Amino acid sequence: MPPLPLLPQVKTVLVDEDSAGQRLDNFLMRHLKGVPKTHVYRIIRSGEVRVNKGRASADSRVAAGDLVRLPPVRISERVAEKAEAMAQSITRDAPARDFPILFEDEHLIAIDKPSGVAVHGGSGVSFGVIEQLRMARPQAKFLELVHRLDRDTSGILLIAKKRSALTNLQDQFRERETGKTYLALVSGRWPANKKVLDKPLHKYLLTNKDGSEGERRVKVVAKDDPNGMPSVTLVKVRNTTSSSFTLLEVTIKTGRTHQIRVHLASEGFPIVGDDKYGDFDLNKTLLRAGKLPALKRMFLHAWRLQFNHPVTGERVELMAHLPSELETFSTHVAPTFP
């Protein structure tokens, strides 16, 4: 009997916001499909799996920005063939596309990601920003995502052009040395004195009608909930119009899945256009142009990002103006909005 196919040699995986809070064993099973569960636990116990270069136990929880080392492991031939076919399909079918550049040097690129575009392929998405960028720049030897944004969120996204830059910037995100501020338009008049939202969040899966696992959702839980992940959001009122809408500057101190959306909605002020946690009746109304221009997306934009340059150490501040569709809508809501 021929030996089982071997996964590529040592691989390092960046923990994204969707995976933050998972147990290490569950995280590995998602990334090592086709590997027996007993083998997953063996490579954890042996120390072959490393989290941020250190050993970790199966029940330890990964955080956004963690770097997880995956050793070579053997998988079933069927899984190997499927993975190879998927990788080839994504690469082959991804259209070449450049995105608006906010900053670029020999170490990194900062782009202004449009809404509706995933940052990478997978989970029902054929291709994303990184695949399209690689096709547009075939001469580039190295292009990797430093962090991620939700598909429906627009704004600043960093891509590393060298592995040293990738590691340095990911360390900054993990150690919370970066500054990330978003613009969000919410329904209602936000209380100016409500400036800090310190509410633990818990991820869970909806159940489909057939009993299978559905979409991921996030909810606020009690401070003493063992499944709650500490989550802190800072809120500043940028502008308000009568009692209908408020434009907020939102700075996240932790990077949980859907953190801004859930925190704001939990206060009774959902983000306009949010199709998961929003005011669905209002969203339907805003889809149709009337007194206001139609709004066909969520009003959440990664507006400002601060970080230390991975080589010079100089503090860099980038800003991405509101996309035209959000600027048009906000101008009609209140002419003094940016």
Side-chain angles (χ1 to χ4, degrees):
M1 180 178 178
L4 293 176
L6 189 67
L7 277 179
Q9 298 302 306
V10 177
K11 180 180 179 182
T12 301
V13 177
L14 171 69
V15 178
D16 59 28
E17 294 180 1
D18 282 346
S19 300
Q22 281 191 332
R23 284 172 51 115
L24 179 59
D25 51 0
N26 293 332
F27 177 83
L28 292 178
M29 288 170 198
R30 280 184 54 205
H31 287 271
L32 299 175
K33 295 186 186 301
V35 177
K37 185 180 294 188
T38 53
H39 188 65
V40 169
Y41 284 105
R42 188 188 70 75
I43 60 177
I44 294 174
R45 287 195 303 270
S46 67
E48 295 175 77
V49 174
R50 298 271 172 160
V51 179
N52 301 325
K53 300 181 180 179
R55 296 177 70 120
S57 59
D59 60 356
S60 61
R61 295 186 181 274
V62 296
D66 281 350
L67 296 176
V68 181
R69 175 193 184 275
L70 304 181
V73 290
R74 296 196 178 277
I75 60 176
S76 71
E77 187 173 351
R78 179 182 60 81
V79 171
E81 290 175 349
K82 183 177 179 182
E84 177 65 19
M86 180 178 294
Q88 291 180 357
S89 174
I90 289 175
T91 301
R92 181 179 62 250
D93 299 336
R97 179 178 179 182
D98 258 320
F99 297 87
I101 303 296
L102 300 172
F103 176 91
E104 181 173 7
D105 63 12
E106 63 269 33
H107 305 285
L108 64 103
I109 309 170
I111 70 166
D112 189 355
K113 185 189 86 68
S115 174
V117 181
V119 295
H120 58 71
S123 300
V125 179
S126 298
F127 50 82
V129 169
I130 194 64
E131 290 86 10
Q132 296 180 75
L133 199 57
R134 287 169 181 160
M135 288 295 290
R137 299 180 176 217
Q139 75 287 355
K141 296 181 179 179
F142 186 92
L143 289 174
E144 293 288 349
L145 292 164
V146 173
H147 61 120
R148 57 168 291 169
L149 294 175
D150 286 345
R151 182 175 183 175
D152 296 326
T153 302
S154 55
I156 305 170
L157 181 69
L158 296 185
I159 295 99
K161 297 169 72 173
K162 294 185 178 181
R163 183 163 296 281
S164 57
L166 176 67
T167 302
N168 180 283
L169 290 166
Q170 287 177 338
D171 285 344
Q172 291 187 53
F173 274 87
R174 185 175 61 253
E175 299 300 325
R176 301 176 188 173
E177 295 172 355
T178 58
K180 295 178 287 183
T181 302
Y182 295 70
L183 292 179
L185 187 70
V186 298
S187 173
R189 191 180 185 92
W190 185 271
N193 63 348
K194 190 175 288 294
K195 299 179 180 180
V196 180
L197 304 181
D198 184 358
K199 297 182 172 185
L201 296 176
H202 171 61
K203 289 186 295 187
Y204 63 99
L205 293 175
L206 297 177
T207 303
N208 294 323
K209 292 181 179 179
D210 61 2
S212 62
E213 291 183 345
E215 291 186 8
R216 179 183 288 107
R217 287 290 190 273
V218 180
K219 62 182 178 181
V220 169
V221 294
K223 293 279 187 181
D224 58 355
D225 191 308
N227 295 313
M229 299 298 294
S231 307
V232 179
T233 301
L234 308 182
V235 183
K236 176 184 176 182
V237 173
R238 186 177 179 88
N239 211 324
T240 188
T241 169
S242 65
S243 60
S244 300
F245 302 101
T246 309
L247 185 66
L248 302 174
E249 290 182 18
V250 184
T251 301
I252 53 174
K253 308 304 289 185
T254 51
R256 309 300 181 199
T257 301
H258 300 167
Q259 177 175 325
I260 296 174
R261 301 163 69 176
V262 176
H263 268 177
L264 298 184
S266 72
E267 295 292 326
F269 297 88
I271 296 177
V272 175
D274 188 339
D275 64 357
K276 287 185 171 64
Y277 309 99
D279 182 331
F280 305 132
D281 290 336
L282 175 62
N283 292 346
K284 289 179 181 178
T285 300
L286 295 178
L287 282 173
R288 301 183 297 272
K291 293 182 179 179
L292 296 175
L295 182 65
K296 300 180 180 180
R297 55 158 292 192
M298 178 172 61
F299 201 123
L300 182 61
H301 178 67
W303 169 57
R304 183 173 63 204
L305 178 64
Q306 299 166 315
F307 59 93
N308 299 323
H309 191 279
V311 175
T312 67
E314 179 183 358
R315 191 67 172 174
V316 178
E317 179 177 83
L318 302 175
M319 299 184 74
H321 295 295
L322 278 176
S324 58
E325 69 274 14
L326 298 188
E327 186 171 11
T328 298
F329 184 83
S330 62
T331 299
H332 281 76
V333 169
T336 54
F337 278 9

